Amino acid sequence: MAQPKVVLVACGTAVATSTVVAHAIEEAMAERGIPVVIRQCKATEVRSLAEDADIVVATTPVPDDLGKPTFKGLPFLTGIGKSQVLDDIEKALRG
């Protein structure tokens, strides 16, 4: 079995919106056969935690110099563009 990919999901408080995004990514990647480990954090913690992640998904602005593929989490909350961002996440995780 493939080694799980680490997805860092950030929002303002690491509680509400990051949980919605985390569940959506976990479910979608499972359907696509990609094992993931989700780590939730506050946006202020992203820089210190990004090193151990394969990708970052954030519902609030985060630094753009993390050295990791970074995706906006807004489509998971609005539904607009969600399938495209999931495709983009899959592509990044498959590398």
Side-chain angles (χ1 to χ4, degrees):
M1 183 171 185
Q3 184 77 3
K5 299 290 187 170
V6 178
V7 178
L8 185 63
V9 180
C11 73
T13 63
V15 178
T17 58
S18 64
T19 300
V20 171
V21 174
H23 286 296
I25 292 171
E26 194 168 36
E27 183 177 292
M29 293 306 112
E31 290 172 0
R32 297 168 189 228
I34 302 173
V36 295
V37 173
I38 304 287
R39 297 204 176 121
Q40 291 175 240
C41 70
K42 296 176 185 175
T44 57
E45 300 170 320
V46 168
R47 186 172 299 283
S48 64
L49 299 174
E51 186 176 330
D52 296 328
D54 292 292
I55 67 167
V56 176
V57 181
T59 63
T60 190
V62 295
D64 58 3
D65 62 346
L66 298 171
K68 304 289 176 158
T70 303
F71 301 90
K72 296 192 183 319
L74 189 61
F76 294 98
L77 306 177
T78 65
I80 299 169
K82 181 179 174 183
S83 62
Q84 180 61 55
V85 77
L86 284 170
D87 289 346
D88 293 344
I89 287 171
E90 176 184 9
K91 185 175 180 180
L93 292 176
R94 290 196 188 277

